[in-house]
Short mmCIF file of all heavy atoms in Angstrom, two decimals:
data_model
loop_
_atom_site.label_atom_id
_atom_site.label_comp_id
_atom_site.label_asym_id
_atom_site.label_seq_id
_atom_site.Cartn_x
_atom_site.Cartn_y
_atom_site.Cartn_z
N VAL A 4 107.12 57.59 179.23
CA VAL A 4 106.07 57.31 178.21
C VAL A 4 106.82 56.81 176.98
O VAL A 4 107.68 57.49 176.46
CB VAL A 4 105.22 58.49 177.88
CG1 VAL A 4 104.24 58.15 176.75
CG2 VAL A 4 104.49 58.97 179.15
N ILE A 5 106.39 55.71 176.42
CA ILE A 5 107.05 55.13 175.22
C ILE A 5 106.08 55.21 174.06
O ILE A 5 104.92 54.84 174.14
CB ILE A 5 107.38 53.65 175.49
CG1 ILE A 5 108.39 53.56 176.58
CG2 ILE A 5 107.98 53.05 174.22
CD1 ILE A 5 108.67 52.15 177.10
N GLN A 6 106.61 55.71 172.92
CA GLN A 6 105.80 55.79 171.66
C GLN A 6 106.52 55.11 170.57
O GLN A 6 107.80 55.14 170.48
CB GLN A 6 105.59 57.26 171.27
CG GLN A 6 104.70 58.04 172.22
CD GLN A 6 104.33 59.42 171.66
OE1 GLN A 6 104.76 60.41 172.27
NE2 GLN A 6 103.55 59.51 170.69
N SER A 7 105.73 54.55 169.76
CA SER A 7 106.25 53.89 168.48
C SER A 7 105.31 54.01 167.36
O SER A 7 104.06 54.06 167.58
CB SER A 7 106.66 52.37 168.71
OG SER A 7 105.46 51.63 169.03
N PRO A 8 105.79 54.08 166.14
CA PRO A 8 107.23 54.33 165.82
C PRO A 8 107.61 55.76 166.06
O PRO A 8 106.77 56.53 166.36
CB PRO A 8 107.23 54.02 164.30
CG PRO A 8 105.88 54.47 163.79
CD PRO A 8 104.93 54.10 164.95
N ARG A 9 108.88 56.07 165.98
CA ARG A 9 109.36 57.37 166.20
C ARG A 9 109.11 58.24 164.96
O ARG A 9 108.91 59.47 164.97
CB ARG A 9 110.84 57.45 166.58
CG ARG A 9 111.13 56.83 167.97
CD ARG A 9 110.50 57.62 169.06
NE ARG A 9 110.79 59.06 168.98
CZ ARG A 9 111.97 59.60 169.41
NH1 ARG A 9 112.87 58.85 169.99
NH2 ARG A 9 112.18 60.90 169.30
N GLU A 11 107.33 57.94 160.87
CA GLU A 11 106.47 57.15 159.97
C GLU A 11 106.26 57.93 158.69
O GLU A 11 105.80 59.14 158.75
CB GLU A 11 105.06 56.84 160.62
CG GLU A 11 104.10 56.15 159.79
CD GLU A 11 104.35 54.65 159.70
OE1 GLU A 11 104.81 54.12 160.68
OE2 GLU A 11 103.97 54.01 158.72
N GLU A 18 96.61 53.30 155.89
CA GLU A 18 96.28 53.37 157.35
C GLU A 18 97.48 53.51 158.15
O GLU A 18 98.57 52.84 157.84
CB GLU A 18 95.55 51.98 157.71
CG GLU A 18 95.17 51.90 159.16
CD GLU A 18 94.50 50.61 159.53
OE1 GLU A 18 93.41 50.37 159.05
OE2 GLU A 18 95.12 49.80 160.24
N VAL A 19 97.42 54.36 159.20
CA VAL A 19 98.55 54.57 160.06
C VAL A 19 98.07 54.27 161.48
O VAL A 19 97.04 54.70 161.93
CB VAL A 19 98.97 56.04 160.00
CG1 VAL A 19 100.04 56.32 160.95
CG2 VAL A 19 99.41 56.41 158.55
N THR A 20 98.93 53.53 162.19
CA THR A 20 98.69 53.23 163.60
C THR A 20 99.84 53.67 164.47
O THR A 20 100.99 53.29 164.26
CB THR A 20 98.40 51.75 163.80
OG1 THR A 20 97.25 51.35 163.06
CG2 THR A 20 98.10 51.48 165.35
N LEU A 21 99.61 54.58 165.43
CA LEU A 21 100.55 55.03 166.36
C LEU A 21 100.28 54.45 167.68
O LEU A 21 99.14 54.22 168.05
CB LEU A 21 100.48 56.55 166.50
CG LEU A 21 100.49 57.37 165.14
CD1 LEU A 21 100.44 58.89 165.44
CD2 LEU A 21 101.59 57.02 164.28
N ARG A 22 101.35 54.09 168.37
CA ARG A 22 101.24 53.38 169.66
C ARG A 22 101.84 54.08 170.86
O ARG A 22 102.79 54.85 170.70
CB ARG A 22 101.89 51.98 169.49
CG ARG A 22 101.27 51.15 168.44
CD ARG A 22 102.05 49.82 168.14
NE ARG A 22 101.28 48.96 167.23
CZ ARG A 22 101.35 49.15 165.87
NH1 ARG A 22 102.03 50.17 165.35
NH2 ARG A 22 100.72 48.33 165.14
N CYS A 23 101.28 53.85 172.00
CA CYS A 23 101.75 54.57 173.16
C CYS A 23 101.66 53.62 174.40
O CYS A 23 100.62 52.86 174.60
CB CYS A 23 100.89 55.80 173.45
SG CYS A 23 101.29 56.60 175.03
N LYS A 24 102.67 53.59 175.17
CA LYS A 24 102.66 52.86 176.44
C LYS A 24 102.88 53.93 177.59
O LYS A 24 103.94 54.53 177.67
CB LYS A 24 103.79 51.86 176.47
CG LYS A 24 103.94 51.14 177.92
CD LYS A 24 105.06 50.05 177.83
CE LYS A 24 105.42 49.58 179.24
NZ LYS A 24 104.26 49.03 179.99
N PRO A 25 101.91 54.16 178.40
CA PRO A 25 101.98 55.22 179.46
C PRO A 25 102.90 54.77 180.54
O PRO A 25 103.29 53.58 180.66
CB PRO A 25 100.58 55.36 179.95
CG PRO A 25 99.94 54.02 179.73
CD PRO A 25 100.60 53.51 178.47
N LEU A 32 95.56 59.23 180.08
CA LEU A 32 96.40 59.22 178.93
C LEU A 32 95.82 60.18 177.92
O LEU A 32 94.63 60.25 177.70
CB LEU A 32 96.43 57.79 178.30
CG LEU A 32 97.35 57.61 177.05
CD1 LEU A 32 98.10 56.32 177.13
CD2 LEU A 32 96.54 57.72 175.76
N TRP A 34 96.36 62.14 173.90
CA TRP A 34 96.97 62.11 172.61
C TRP A 34 96.93 63.59 172.15
O TRP A 34 95.82 64.20 172.15
CB TRP A 34 96.24 61.28 171.63
CG TRP A 34 96.57 59.82 171.70
CD1 TRP A 34 95.80 58.91 172.34
CD2 TRP A 34 97.70 59.16 171.20
NE1 TRP A 34 96.44 57.60 172.20
CE2 TRP A 34 97.64 57.79 171.50
CE3 TRP A 34 98.85 59.63 170.45
CZ2 TRP A 34 98.56 56.88 171.12
CZ3 TRP A 34 99.77 58.65 170.05
CH2 TRP A 34 99.66 57.30 170.38
N LYS A 68 92.03 54.04 170.75
CA LYS A 68 91.57 52.94 171.71
C LYS A 68 92.62 52.89 172.83
O LYS A 68 93.76 53.20 172.71
CB LYS A 68 91.52 51.65 170.99
CG LYS A 68 90.40 51.57 169.89
CD LYS A 68 90.35 50.24 169.31
CE LYS A 68 89.26 50.13 168.23
NZ LYS A 68 89.17 48.81 167.55
N SER A 73 98.03 49.77 179.97
CA SER A 73 99.44 49.96 179.60
C SER A 73 99.57 50.14 178.04
O SER A 73 100.68 50.08 177.54
CB SER A 73 100.28 48.78 180.02
OG SER A 73 99.75 47.53 179.50
N PHE A 74 98.53 50.33 177.27
CA PHE A 74 98.63 50.46 175.88
C PHE A 74 97.49 51.27 175.23
O PHE A 74 96.30 51.09 175.67
CB PHE A 74 98.57 49.01 175.27
CG PHE A 74 98.78 48.97 173.82
CD1 PHE A 74 100.03 49.37 173.21
CD2 PHE A 74 97.82 48.51 172.97
CE1 PHE A 74 100.28 49.28 171.89
CE2 PHE A 74 98.06 48.46 171.61
CZ PHE A 74 99.28 48.83 170.99
N SER A 75 97.84 52.13 174.33
CA SER A 75 96.86 52.85 173.61
C SER A 75 97.27 53.00 172.12
O SER A 75 98.51 53.01 171.85
CB SER A 75 96.67 54.27 174.19
OG SER A 75 95.71 55.06 173.39
N THR A 76 96.33 53.15 171.19
CA THR A 76 96.68 53.35 169.85
C THR A 76 95.82 54.56 169.33
O THR A 76 94.70 54.78 169.78
CB THR A 76 96.31 52.10 168.94
OG1 THR A 76 94.85 51.79 169.13
CG2 THR A 76 97.13 50.94 169.34
N LEU A 77 96.49 55.20 168.34
CA LEU A 77 95.73 56.28 167.62
C LEU A 77 95.86 55.86 166.11
O LEU A 77 97.01 55.65 165.60
CB LEU A 77 96.47 57.53 167.82
CG LEU A 77 95.86 58.78 167.00
CD1 LEU A 77 94.45 59.15 167.50
CD2 LEU A 77 96.76 60.02 167.14
N LYS A 78 94.71 55.74 165.48
CA LYS A 78 94.65 55.24 164.12
C LYS A 78 94.09 56.28 163.20
O LYS A 78 93.20 57.00 163.53
CB LYS A 78 93.83 53.93 164.07
CG LYS A 78 93.79 53.27 162.69
CD LYS A 78 93.09 51.97 162.70
CE LYS A 78 93.76 50.94 163.58
NZ LYS A 78 93.10 49.59 163.58
N TYR A 90 102.89 63.59 166.62
CA TYR A 90 101.85 63.16 167.53
C TYR A 90 102.46 62.71 168.86
O TYR A 90 103.35 61.89 168.85
CB TYR A 90 101.09 61.98 166.91
CG TYR A 90 100.25 62.43 165.75
CD1 TYR A 90 100.83 62.60 164.44
CD2 TYR A 90 98.90 62.72 165.90
CE1 TYR A 90 100.04 63.09 163.32
CE2 TYR A 90 98.13 63.15 164.79
CZ TYR A 90 98.70 63.34 163.47
OH TYR A 90 97.94 63.75 162.39
N PHE A 91 102.02 63.34 169.88
CA PHE A 91 102.51 63.04 171.22
C PHE A 91 101.49 62.33 172.05
O PHE A 91 100.31 62.59 171.97
CB PHE A 91 102.90 64.37 171.97
CG PHE A 91 104.09 65.06 171.43
CD1 PHE A 91 103.98 66.18 170.71
CD2 PHE A 91 105.34 64.50 171.70
CE1 PHE A 91 105.10 66.81 170.17
CE2 PHE A 91 106.53 65.21 171.25
CZ PHE A 91 106.41 66.35 170.49
N CYS A 92 102.02 61.47 172.84
CA CYS A 92 101.20 60.82 173.90
C CYS A 92 101.73 61.24 175.26
O CYS A 92 102.92 61.45 175.40
CB CYS A 92 101.37 59.30 173.72
SG CYS A 92 100.52 58.28 175.03
N GLY A 105 105.67 61.63 176.00
CA GLY A 105 106.57 60.68 175.25
C GLY A 105 107.34 61.54 174.13
O GLY A 105 107.19 62.74 174.05
N PRO A 106 108.28 60.85 173.49
CA PRO A 106 109.13 61.54 172.60
C PRO A 106 108.47 61.96 171.25
O PRO A 106 108.99 62.73 170.50
CB PRO A 106 110.22 60.56 172.28
CG PRO A 106 109.56 59.24 172.53
CD PRO A 106 108.58 59.43 173.57
N GLY A 107 107.24 61.41 170.99
CA GLY A 107 106.47 61.83 169.83
C GLY A 107 106.76 60.80 168.66
O GLY A 107 107.80 60.13 168.56
N THR A 108 105.74 60.84 167.77
CA THR A 108 105.89 60.18 166.41
C THR A 108 105.77 61.20 165.35
O THR A 108 104.76 61.88 165.33
CB THR A 108 104.77 59.13 166.28
OG1 THR A 108 104.94 58.10 167.19
CG2 THR A 108 104.87 58.52 164.85
#
Side-chain angles (χ1 to χ4, degrees):
Chain A
V4 177
I5 298 173
Q6 291 187 247
S7 65
R9 293 294 311 277
E11 176 82 27
E18 178 179 296
V19 175
T20 299
L21 311 182
R22 297 173 176 79
C23 175
K24 176 178 167 54
L32 183 140
W34 282 100
K68 294 182 179 179
S73 59
F74 184 65
S75 177
T76 59
L77 178 67
K78 186 176 293 186
Y90 290 81
F91 289 105
C92 176
T108 295

